[in-house]
Amino acid sequence: MIALVVGWVWLGPLVHHFPALDVARAEVYQLKALAYWCVPALVMFTTRTRKRFIILLTTIVVSGTLEAILAVVSLSSQTEFSLLGTAFPPGQRAQGTFANSDHFANYMAMCMALALGLMLATAEARGRTLPGWRGKLLGLLNFLLSKRMLVRLAVIIMVIGLVLTRSRMGNASFFFGLFFFLYAVAWAWPHKRQAALWLGISLLVIDLVVIGQWVGLEHVVERLQNTELSMGAEQDEGPTGANQRAPGQEETVAERLAIGQDGFKLALTSPWVGHGPATFFTLFPQYKRPAIDIWVEHAHNDYAELASDLGLPALLTLGGAVCLSLLQWAQLMRSPSSGFVKGVVSGAGMAVVCLLMHAWVDFNLHIHANAMLFTVALALPFALSRFTRTRHAGKTAH
């Protein structure tokens, strides 16, 4: 299904005339679309053993940890750094090597989701344990001395990075994804309910409350408190006719969603084939409402921009691919799969949910790192299904 959309991205400009098509932007769009198809294909066809799954997830966790360390150091020291010829000046919010703190927050959320899945996947089934407090103390010591403790420390570092972004939807999507993760484990993996519950409590209490208060969780709460649900009467009309925001007041939810709403209006003017790859930037100024007086390169809604560029059928096709992935996720969670499979797939499901929620108010699918990591999370249930069938066939033959 993703290949169908990629095919339309490449063949659409050849078979249909798009008046607003920017050839240079369209070529970049085509190359990115091809990469977003090749990455999940590589995951599905090359990740076939337990060792390879662990290497893949460990690489993602290390990547997120290094990004978080870089972001925290840059923000705390207010030091500008440069990477591949691009300068990243320090700001008031952590952003790592991302141009926007909200995109960095979504990357942290997805990396942490896969890290949680890795922790559950590599938790060995315990045999007979000592009764009472001795058994619990022994279990705690075993965890502190295991490799999972390194992953847990990486999650703590990434939580610090996430909190320092002060991203409202980034933190909200992580919370929502975490509750989805805990509910999924409790629903489909009864004997891991207690472990998942303690993991969730430690994230909420130790990471987000204790460490979060230390690194500035109150700033995230303050941004949420300064966010109104709708365009309020306290906003005065400025001389240009645009809504003037009070000092310190964050943009309202309605203002954040307005670009996406106008983007859907643009999409409905050519609902079947869209306006062409990467044409949103060119056409949106004709359809945006006067209150939006900012420069807009992407819709703050991935669904609206995809519908505008490629058409509603392409958006529904991509939605179908996501639904198939989630259906495969549910089958693996409910099947008598190994603990390793259920652990990895639960983290992948949380990563998908985090981005799908954040996509309503941002454009993470147009950020290379986030889009590629999202396609990896989509591909993992299919790769794990192949892994499960291969193991079952091997056991049967043996």
Side-chain angles (χ1 to χ4, degrees):
M1 299 183 81
I2 296 177
L4 289 175
V5 178
V6 174
W8 172 242
V9 171
W10 280 83
L11 298 177
L14 299 179
V15 301
H16 194 278
H17 176 61
F18 297 118
L21 189 68
D22 184 323
V23 177
R25 285 177 175 267
E27 289 178 350
V28 174
Y29 199 103
Q30 290 170 336
L31 291 174
K32 290 195 298 182
L34 183 61
Y36 299 156
W37 174 68
C38 289
V39 168
L42 285 171
V43 171
M44 286 190 288
F45 294 126
T46 65
T47 313
R48 298 183 176 182
T49 64
R50 176 188 175 104
K51 181 179 179 181
R52 289 189 178 184
F53 280 108
I54 293 177
I55 291 175
L56 173 63
L57 295 180
T58 303
T59 303
I60 294 171
V61 173
V62 170
S63 169
T65 306
L66 293 177
E67 274 285 345
I69 292 173
L70 181 61
V72 171
V73 171
S74 175
L75 179 66
S76 59
S77 63
Q78 286 295 293
T79 303
E80 177 178 323
F81 67 94
S82 145
L83 182 66
L84 299 178
T86 303
F88 294 90
Q92 299 301 316
R93 300 164 60 190
Q95 64 183 51
T97 59
F98 290 74
N100 188 293
S101 298
D102 295 319
H103 301 150
F104 172 67
N106 186 251
Y107 188 74
M108 288 292 98
M110 288 193 290
C111 287
M112 281 190 285
L114 294 171
L116 296 179
L118 180 61
M119 288 183 64
L120 283 184
T122 54
E124 300 296 336
R126 291 184 299 175
R128 296 181 60 184
T129 58
L130 296 175
W133 65 270
R134 290 186 177 88
K136 294 181 180 179
L137 180 60
L138 181 60
L140 177 61
L141 291 175
N142 286 333
F143 170 71
L144 293 176
L145 296 175
S146 68
K147 294 181 180 179
R148 289 186 299 143
M149 187 61 192
L150 296 177
V151 181
R152 185 68 184 87
L153 292 174
V155 171
I156 292 176
I157 294 172
M158 286 187 280
V159 165
I160 295 174
L162 175 63
V163 171
L164 288 177
T165 64
R166 304 180 188 175
S167 172
R168 293 163 294 180
M169 185 53 75
N171 283 273
S173 63
F174 175 71
F175 274 113
F176 185 84
L178 178 60
F179 289 130
F180 171 85
F181 173 84
L182 297 176
Y183 179 79
V185 173
W187 165 66
W189 206 358
H191 69 279
K192 283 291 181 181
R193 288 176 183 173
Q194 185 175 3
L197 178 62
W198 282 113
L199 182 58
I201 291 175
S202 70
L203 273 171
L204 293 174
V205 176
I206 299 177
D207 296 20
L208 294 173
V209 176
V210 179
I211 298 178
Q213 288 292 336
W214 176 51
V215 299
L217 182 63
E218 69 276 3
H219 295 300
V220 181
V221 177
E222 182 181 352
R223 290 196 73 203
L224 289 171
Q225 291 174 341
N226 289 334
T227 302
E228 301 291 338
L229 293 178
S230 60
M231 296 182 182
E234 70 278 0
Q235 292 177 328
D236 300 323
E237 290 290 329
T240 61
N243 289 330
Q244 301 298 313
R245 198 173 292 113
Q249 181 183 353
E250 298 289 343
E251 69 271 18
T252 67
V253 173
E255 288 176 313
R256 194 67 185 266
L257 297 176
I259 299 176
Q261 293 169 355
D262 292 347
F264 276 115
K265 294 178 182 178
L266 171 60
L268 292 177
T269 60
S270 181
W272 297 109
V273 297
H275 295 281
T279 55
F280 179 87
F281 167 78
T282 305
L283 296 176
F284 182 71
Q286 305 173 32
Y287 292 86
K288 70 177 183 179
R289 63 193 69 182
I292 302 175
D293 59 346
I294 60 175
W295 181 69
V296 177
E297 183 175 3
H298 293 285
H300 286 264
N301 187 311
D302 277 317
Y303 310 108
E305 186 162 354
L306 287 171
S308 173
D309 288 345
L310 306 179
L312 292 176
L315 176 63
L316 293 177
T317 303
L318 289 176
V322 174
C323 290
L324 285 176
S325 178
L326 291 177
L327 179 62
Q328 188 68 59
W329 169 86
Q331 290 176 350
L332 288 173
M333 290 295 290
R334 291 298 293 174
S335 67
S337 304
S338 66
F340 175 79
V341 170
K342 288 187 175 183
V344 174
V345 80
S346 60
M350 177 180 170
V352 170
V353 168
C354 286
L355 188 136
L356 290 178
M357 182 177 177
H358 204 164
W360 280 106
V361 294
D362 224 315
F363 47 96
N364 286 291
L365 288 179
H366 289 80
I367 305 302
H368 315 324
N370 292 359
M372 284 190 176
L373 188 54
F374 178 66
T375 59
V376 170
L378 287 181
L380 278 173
F382 296 103
L384 288 163
S385 178
R386 178 190 293 264
F387 169 71
T388 302
R389 290 197 303 268
T390 302
R391 287 189 61 191
H392 179 72
K395 290 180 179 179
T396 303
H398 180 73

